[in-house]
Amino acid sequence: MPFRSILVACLAAPLLLAQPVLAKEPAATAKEPSVSQSAARQRQKTCGAEWRALSVADKAAKGPKWPQYFSKCVKRLKEQKA
């Protein structure tokens, strides 16, 4: 039985030693979002705030679910900007 435990230890040792080498380092610099990404994020926040402010009846009238409302809201916000 000692042979088996020695064998397991020999097989596991290289894996334990290789872990720090294989580990990925965190990215030192984060990418800044592009202008279009920032605009899209702002539209999503604006539409989300409007959606949360609506009553149940208003939500049913403007679009029964978030995706439909969001689509209409984004179109409206893009038209306002242009």
Side-chain angles (χ1 to χ4, degrees):
M1 290 299 170
F3 176 74
R4 180 174 277 173
S5 58
I6 293 172
L7 179 63
V8 170
C10 290
L11 293 175
L15 295 176
L16 294 174
L17 296 174
Q19 283 180 342
V21 175
L22 297 176
K24 292 184 180 179
E25 293 182 20
T29 58
K31 291 173 106 179
E32 292 294 321
S34 68
V35 174
S36 61
Q37 288 173 331
S38 296
R41 188 171 293 135
Q42 186 59 40
R43 283 191 298 269
Q44 185 177 14
K45 288 180 180 182
T46 302
C47 292
E50 291 176 8
W51 175 256
R52 287 186 298 276
L54 292 174
S55 67
V56 175
D58 290 337
K59 286 181 183 179
K62 300 212 181 226
K65 300 200 186 275
W66 164 249
Q68 291 83 16
Y69 178 81
F70 181 65
S71 177
K72 292 176 186 176
C73 181
V74 168
K75 288 177 188 174
R76 177 176 46 85
L77 291 175
K78 284 183 178 180
E79 288 173 359
Q80 286 176 356
K81 182 181 178 189

